[in-house]
Amino acid sequence: MPGAKGGQGLVEPIVLVTPGIALLFGAFLFPVGQILVLSVVPSGEELGAWSNFARFFADDYYLRVAWRTFRLSLLITAATALIGFPLAYAMARAPRWLAFLLLLLTVLPLMTSVVVRTFGWMMVLGRGGPVTDLLMLFGLSARSAVLLQTETGIVVAMVQVLLPFMVLTTLGVIAGIHPHLEEAARTMGAGFYRTLRHVVLPLSLPGLVSGSLLVFAISMSSFITPNLIGGVRLPVMASAIYQQAIHTLDWGFAAAQSTLLLIAVLGLLVPYLALMRRARV
Amino acid sequence: MTFLAIENVGKRFGHTTALDGVSLGIERGSFVALLGPSGCGKSTLLRIIAGLETPTFGRITVDGEDITRLPPERRRLAMMFQSYALLPHMTALENVRFPLRMQGREGAAEQRRRAMETLALVGLDHLAERLPREMSGGQQQRVALARAIIAEPRVLLLDEPLSNLDARLREDMQIELQALHRRLGLTTLFVTHDQEEALSLADRVVLLNQGRIDRDATADALYDDPGTAFAADFLGAANLVPVTVEATEDGHTAILEDGQRLQLASAPGPGPRQLVLRQEDITLADPSEPGLEATIEARIFLGTRVRYLVRLGDLRLRVLAPRHLQYPPGTPVRLQIDPANCRWSREGP
Amino acid sequence: MVGRFPPSALVLGGLALALILVFMLLPLGVVVAASLTAGQFLTFPPQGLSFRWYGDVLASEAYLSSAWTSLKVATLVTIAATVIGTAAAIGLSRRRLPGRALLAGVFLSPLVLPSIIFGIGLLIVFSIWGNGPSLLALALGHTVLTMPYVVRTVAAVLADADPAIEEAARTMGAGPVDRLRFVVLPQAKGGILAGAFFAFNVSFDEAVIALFLRTPGVETLPMRIYGQLEFSPTPAVAAVSTLMILMTILVVVAIERSLGLRKVAT
């Protein structure tokens, strides 16, 4: 008899997941697969199958774009991890009202449209914005200094955009650390900071690592924020792909770059998903 | 006449065997306990009867009808779950009405009237409009009970019916379950790991061990004569003493492993045996008295009585004594045993 | 609780938290403040206080039609994603479904795959096989993107539900359809609601796929804002953005009410 619980067995769950699977295959896996096909198929008669990839690796411009994307993503990830860990720890251990407030103030920006948040950063970082004023106040910058269209500006804005991902991933792990472990360490003579260093941090590591993988993957492929803050002077991979797809209409080349980006991101997301599964289920 | 028949039912989960070919016949209207430690297969058996698990082999019939392949919703049995499993978004009344609603034989008004009547039977008609979360654990359980009996099930299955209640409520519920059983005459099968609960509620106790039936007897018979080492140990009421029986001129003598001798009234014949001694059938006496030589190891105060752990050779025996006896640990004592109270394990030594 | 933390940690931690909160809320606060300016130009701090730019927005044909487009798409998406996602989550919660861990991963994959890649894929597919991008194409893309949120919230609620309740319903004669109706859907209610709010919010705010599938007829509100930001934003953009922030706050409140933020967030 099929099915461990008798009765309708397999029919019900299969019927229930079928529409979703159909949607994912038709409207998700098929378009993504299409990119892979298009990236290999030659765009012109005279070109070979891998010409789009060859063009990418031969062109100094695109290599520089890829390197910038990678470098900025690394900086963004490090910064979110540094800020995110104490914030997640505070959320897990603070009294209820404070924890809720912190959660609210993490989730609210996360759920606000990226376009709106980026707009805010354009004003903050731009001419006459509060950051420029502050830098001037401390004599750190001349009048004309704006962070708009700088790499620093991209990093600052992206850290704010992606911090919630880091915090929530890490919080999931820290919330699972029983407070008794810290209390036990304290009774054994470890101070607060040493307890953090020797008990909480090692146990939070899976959360920090998976949060970092997630943040890195997202920032590698981010488009709206780096494009608006960095402008045409500082393109990242996503903006280059957008250029090819919408303005140059060179889909083959856009697809090839997408494929490279996809490979890089999947290389990060597979370990991320594995870590999350081990941490939760 | 067997009403519920379990014929050679077995269940394997992967490589572990939960039930190893259990056969059991249950008469109409009887009140049977499935007793055993956790992992003995008692819950699996109950779930197989309910149809929530499919047996790997074997057959189950109710009133001659083979229900082995019938889905649970068509078995016309009822089960009360350990967690009560009340529908959290429905009132007590709607919960009790639910089985009638699924049957769909009567109109809504009639279903409600019957649900109210059944709630009254468990004394909860005044809480009919409460949601489960607005009731105490004991009240929730009564709702679950009312819900289980309303549709006149052919068999009532109870999974650990008293385990979530505190001591006083547990006693109330025991009385209630027995009264309900007398009144409705429902064939009732319940699972428990608590030997006291099984012995006090059921008129027949089936003791399961490692997926097999170890003992199947009335509560009285099981207590007086556990019969197997496992039963004696699990019921906790009896001590097992390995001895060698020798025939002598005035009957039989049991020789203990440390060489001490015990005169017997009767014996199953010479050879190595397991002597079963109930803990209240051993009397403690001062070393000046006759009896088996032993030493007190510990004294556990139980309220009305005292339990002594007594060292006899390499064995540790449990002895129930009146509370006025005061032997501190380390005291040498004599154990006096009435030969008439000696019983024998049915198994080998 | 507080006694466990040394004063230095409380002071340092408090200071750090305050800084982080300012950092997190700064861009939103600046947008809200700028929207209230009485002046002609986008400045911070605002010059004078007025609601005149809100009046401008509400009288603007372009903004209103974009808002209407966003609302149409988000409503379609919410319905589709909630129905399909809820069914999938219930199916995935059944232990007897083979390969459910793998399937669950597949169902959540749109959450982590870069939307720029998904967006260009959709554009290519609709251009080659369809009549190019359209409102329905955008809704389809958003449905894929938002369905995982519904699957996640519903699955989280079902994972916590007592499986004995459905078994009890079976022993009381409830067949598969009755069990879905009387047991599973009521159990999943909070998750379904929270997932629907999530889906609505994500679709309403989404910009990348909308950018790829943009046509003159299909311009969502985030797209219109994005277009303005590429050129010269006026205080009207700040006013629209503030309205979008307000809507997000409403959605967050709704999610907190239906399931609890903590449960959804982690």
Side-chain angles (χ1 to χ4, degrees):
Chain A
M1 177 144 183
K5 300 222 169 143
Q8 86 275 36
L10 278 173
V11 179
E12 190 219 25
I14 288 178
V15 166
L16 287 172
V17 296
T18 298
I21 290 179
L23 179 71
L24 286 176
F25 267 90
F28 182 64
L29 298 178
F30 179 63
V32 173
Q34 203 54 44
I35 292 178
L36 302 182
V37 173
L38 216 66
S39 68
V40 180
V41 170
S43 43
E45 301 283 310
E46 72 283 7
L47 297 165
W50 300 95
S51 60
N52 286 320
F53 292 99
R55 183 176 153 202
F56 179 86
F57 287 110
D59 194 328
D60 197 39
Y61 173 78
Y62 292 109
L63 289 177
R64 259 185 303 152
V65 168
W67 169 241
R68 175 183 302 122
T69 313
F70 177 80
R71 196 160 35 86
L72 292 184
S73 300
L74 216 57
L75 276 171
I76 291 160
T77 307
T80 49
L82 221 60
I83 306 172
F85 174 72
L87 184 54
Y89 180 76
M91 264 179 179
R93 295 291 181 254
R96 278 178 77 97
W97 65 269
L98 183 59
F100 182 76
L101 189 73
L102 292 175
L103 183 65
L104 198 67
L105 296 174
T106 307
V107 171
L108 184 63
L110 174 67
M111 292 188 60
T112 307
S113 182
V114 171
V115 174
V116 172
R117 274 189 284 169
T118 306
F119 174 36
W121 278 115
M122 287 170 76
M123 286 173 42
V124 172
L125 301 171
R127 202 174 298 277
V131 168
T132 326
D133 292 349
L134 220 68
L135 289 177
M136 271 180 33
L137 197 71
F138 290 108
L140 287 171
S141 136
R143 169 109 192 98
S144 59
V146 279
L147 289 173
L148 211 55
Q149 296 185 14
T150 66
E151 292 190 348
T152 315
I154 296 180
V155 172
V156 169
M158 285 295 285
V159 166
Q160 192 259 0
V161 170
L162 296 181
L163 188 63
F165 290 99
M166 179 69 80
V167 171
L168 296 178
T169 313
T170 312
L171 174 63
V173 175
I174 296 185
I177 302 174
H178 202 288
H180 281 176
L181 291 179
E182 286 156 68
E183 292 172 0
R186 298 293 288 277
T187 63
M188 289 183 283
F192 172 76
Y193 295 104
R194 285 215 289 170
T195 303
L196 264 189
R197 158 85 184 77
H198 292 287
V199 178
V200 183
L201 192 61
L203 288 172
S204 322
L205 221 49
L208 272 174
V209 172
S210 49
S212 299
L213 291 170
L214 183 65
V215 165
F216 192 83
I218 301 177
S219 52
M220 281 288 283
S221 57
S222 279
F223 171 66
I224 301 282
T225 308
N227 199 46
L228 286 176
I229 304 274
V232 284
R233 234 168 41 79
L234 295 168
V236 291
M237 277 191 84
S239 13
I241 293 172
Y242 179 73
Q243 278 298 323
Q244 304 298 332
I246 300 293
H247 296 296
T248 325
L249 288 177
D250 189 348
W251 286 354
F253 192 40
Q257 290 181 66
S258 300
T259 303
L260 290 172
L261 190 57
L262 186 63
I263 291 168
V265 167
L266 282 184
L268 296 165
L269 288 178
V270 170
Y272 162 77
L273 290 174
L275 267 174
M276 289 311 283
R277 184 165 308 163
R278 211 174 312 154
R280 225 168 270 186
V281 189
Chain B
M1 172 64 196
T2 297
F3 181 65
L4 168 65
I6 293 145
E7 296 166 21
N8 188 33
V9 165
K11 176 73 180 177
R12 278 194 285 271
F13 295 104
H15 291 295
T16 52
T17 302
L19 276 182
D20 197 7
V22 167
S23 295
L24 196 61
I26 289 166
E27 267 96 73
R28 193 191 291 269
S30 56
F31 201 150
V32 178
L34 293 175
L35 175 67
S38 60
C40 72
K42 58 189 191 300
S43 292
T44 306
L45 181 56
L46 199 76
R47 290 172 61 82
I48 287 175
I49 297 169
L52 298 169
E53 304 278 357
T54 312
T56 312
F57 54 84
R59 204 168 87 105
I60 294 169
T61 63
V62 174
D63 208 6
E65 179 200 357
D66 187 342
I67 62 166
T68 319
R69 293 282 177 268
L70 222 51
E73 57 264 34
R74 296 194 5 229
R75 293 194 177 197
R76 290 190 291 124
L77 313 177
M79 176 154 162
M80 190 172 90
F81 289 71
Q82 190 174 5
S83 63
Y84 314 144
L86 297 180
L87 294 155
H89 57 291
M90 290 187 186
T91 61
L93 186 75
E94 285 303 309
N95 262 290
V96 176
R97 180 192 156 203
F98 192 78
L100 301 180
R101 200 166 162 191
M102 291 299 106
Q103 288 178 349
R105 281 201 221 101
E106 304 119 318
E110 171 63 10
Q111 289 173 6
R112 284 204 186 86
R113 193 192 60 74
R114 275 184 63 189
M116 204 58 172
E117 213 173 79
T118 314
L119 268 178
L121 200 65
V122 297
L124 278 186
D125 41 339
H126 61 294
L127 299 179
E129 295 307 320
R130 292 263 181 102
L131 287 172
R133 63 167 173 273
E134 298 163 347
M135 291 188 279
S136 71
Q139 290 166 342
Q140 288 181 31
Q141 181 159 42
R142 279 157 202 267
V143 175
L145 184 62
R147 195 175 70 166
I149 60 177
I150 189 168
E152 288 149 12
R154 298 188 287 184
V155 179
L156 175 60
L157 306 169
L158 308 170
D159 190 6
E160 301 273 2
L162 305 177
S163 64
N164 283 347
L165 302 176
D166 59 41
R168 204 180 55 78
L169 275 174
R170 186 179 292 220
E171 202 165 280
D172 291 351
M173 199 67 196
Q174 277 190 20
I175 296 166
E176 179 125 23
L177 279 174
Q178 276 172 328
L180 215 55
H181 180 250
R182 269 199 305 278
R183 193 158 152 193
L184 303 174
L186 282 172
T187 308
T188 307
L189 194 59
F190 79 99
V191 153
T192 178
H193 65 274
D194 180 340
Q195 77 278 5
E196 241 176 76
E197 202 172 298
L199 296 174
S200 62
L201 265 176
D203 35 52
R204 178 175 161 201
V205 177
V206 177
L207 184 65
L208 284 157
N209 181 27
Q210 296 183 347
R212 293 166 180 274
I213 294 181
D214 187 85
R215 286 280 277 136
D216 178 355
T218 65
D220 280 339
L222 193 63
Y223 188 77
D224 284 342
D225 179 10
T228 65
F230 172 76
D233 186 45
F234 185 74
L235 295 172
N239 300 289
L240 283 173
V241 183
V243 296
T244 310
V245 175
E246 275 183 6
T248 53
E249 54 267 34
D250 47 345
H252 290 86
T253 304
I255 302 167
L256 275 63
E257 283 177 333
D258 66 348
Q260 299 199 65
R261 301 172 78 89
L262 180 64
Q263 190 61 41
L264 300 170
S266 66
R273 302 282 170 201
Q274 294 253 37
L275 185 60
V276 179
L277 290 173
R278 296 198 318 187
Q279 53 180 348
E280 58 265 47
D281 289 344
I282 303 175
T283 311
L284 296 180
D286 291 331
S288 55
E289 309 270 326
L292 299 170
E293 284 177 30
T295 314
I296 301 287
E297 269 197 350
R299 180 178 191 272
I300 302 160
F301 182 62
L302 296 178
T304 54
R305 292 206 268 183
V306 177
R307 174 175 289 142
Y308 284 98
L309 299 183
V310 181
R311 171 68 56 183
L312 172 68
D314 287 335
L315 294 172
R316 178 196 270 168
L317 303 185
R318 287 190 280 195
V319 177
L320 218 47
R323 64 181 291 187
H324 63 77
L325 269 182
Q326 299 275 357
Y327 291 117
T331 321
V333 288
R334 293 288 179 273
L335 307 181
Q336 297 178 335
I337 295 149
D338 181 349
N341 288 333
C342 291
R343 293 167 203 281
W344 300 95
S345 165
R346 271 148 226 230
E347 304 156 317
Chain C
M1 274 300 273
V2 177
R4 299 192 300 130
F5 304 109
S8 64
L10 290 177
V11 171
L12 276 176
L15 219 74
L17 286 184
L19 275 175
I20 294 171
L21 292 184
V22 168
F23 174 66
M24 290 307 283
L25 293 181
L26 186 62
L28 303 187
V30 167
V31 168
V32 174
S35 76
L36 296 170
T37 188
Q40 278 297 325
F41 305 104
L42 199 56
T43 51
F44 183 86
Q47 299 169 326
L49 280 181
S50 88
F51 284 102
R52 59 176 282 209
W53 292 102
Y54 289 87
D56 262 32
V57 166
L58 294 177
S60 151
E61 185 80 29
Y63 278 123
L64 288 181
S65 86
S66 288
W68 178 234
T69 303
S70 282
L71 194 66
K72 271 192 291 192
V73 172
T75 307
L76 269 175
V77 166
T78 303
I79 294 168
T82 305
V83 171
I84 301 173
T86 300
I90 295 171
L92 289 171
S93 73
R94 305 296 194 191
R95 289 243 169 72
R96 50 185 182 268
L97 185 71
R100 53 194 279 263
L102 182 74
L103 264 184
V106 172
F107 267 96
L108 296 182
S109 59
L111 276 184
V112 287
L113 192 106
S115 33
I116 180 143
I117 294 174
F118 181 39
I120 175 171
L122 280 175
L123 174 67
I124 290 171
V125 164
F126 279 104
S127 303
I128 297 179
W129 279 279
N131 304 323
S134 63
L135 189 135
L136 277 179
L138 180 58
L140 194 66
H142 278 186
T143 305
V144 170
L145 210 61
T146 55
M147 183 178 65
Y149 291 97
V150 181
V151 171
R152 216 168 55 168
T153 51
V154 175
V157 174
L158 288 180
D160 285 354
D162 181 2
I165 296 180
E166 202 181 348
E167 292 181 346
R170 289 199 84 179
T171 65
M172 290 185 286
V177 177
D178 281 329
R179 292 204 294 278
L180 280 182
R181 183 178 151 206
F182 290 111
V183 183
V184 182
L185 286 179
Q187 278 176 337
K189 198 173 129 202
I192 296 172
L193 278 175
F197 290 129
F198 245 114
F200 185 87
N201 186 65
V202 169
S203 170
F204 201 88
D205 285 352
E206 205 280 336
V208 176
I209 290 168
L211 193 63
F212 277 97
L213 299 182
R214 175 160 64 166
T215 65
V218 185
E219 192 167 48
T220 63
L221 210 47
M223 263 12 290
R224 185 161 296 278
I225 297 173
Y226 181 86
Q228 299 279 316
L229 295 187
E230 281 194 312
F231 301 104
S232 51
T234 64
V237 182
V240 179
S241 298
T242 303
L243 292 174
M244 289 188 68
I245 293 172
L246 280 178
M247 201 200 68
T248 304
I249 292 174
L250 288 181
V251 170
V252 169
V253 169
I255 290 175
E256 167 63 17
R257 286 278 178 90
S258 56
L259 191 58
L261 273 188
R262 181 66 180 253
K263 201 163 165 114
V264 178
T266 52

